[in-house]
Amino acid sequence: RISQRLEKQADELARTIDELEKRTKQLEQEYENLIKEKQEIVQDMAKVEDKVTRSKNLLDNLSSEKTRW
């Protein structure tokens, strides 16, 4: 009886461990995807900042041309 109970507990623990390992792998994959997404957003932000800077420079140059005319 005791050995059957211990065996049952061991089986339950093994199932729990399997479920936790699967969940851990899922979370690791989600984390990896989020890190990739973050990197893409950072790159996009850098591109947008560059465009904004160039646009401001263009506007400044155009406004100085306006006063010349």
Side-chain angles (χ1 to χ4, degrees):
R1 283 188 145 196
I2 293 175
S3 64
Q4 287 177 341
R5 251 189 283 146
L6 290 175
E7 222 175 285
K8 184 178 177 182
Q9 286 178 342
D11 288 344
E12 289 175 7
L13 286 173
R15 279 194 298 274
T16 300
I17 289 170
D18 286 344
E19 291 172 8
L20 290 172
E21 286 176 344
K22 286 178 186 175
R23 183 65 179 140
T24 300
K25 286 180 184 177
Q26 289 174 340
L27 291 172
E28 287 173 346
Q29 185 64 45
E30 288 178 29
Y31 178 74
E32 184 179 320
N33 291 340
L34 289 171
I35 294 297
K36 286 179 184 177
E37 187 177 335
K38 177 195 172 254
Q39 290 171 339
E40 290 172 1
I41 289 170
V42 167
Q43 290 172 349
D44 288 345
M45 283 179 54
K47 289 177 185 176
V48 168
E49 287 175 354
D50 183 50
K51 286 180 183 179
V52 167
T53 300
R54 287 185 286 147
S55 296
K56 284 181 179 180
N57 289 339
L58 178 61
L59 287 173
D60 289 343
N61 291 337
L62 290 174
S63 67
S64 67
E65 284 295 316
K66 179 182 176 186
T67 55
R68 263 183 20 168
W69 288 89

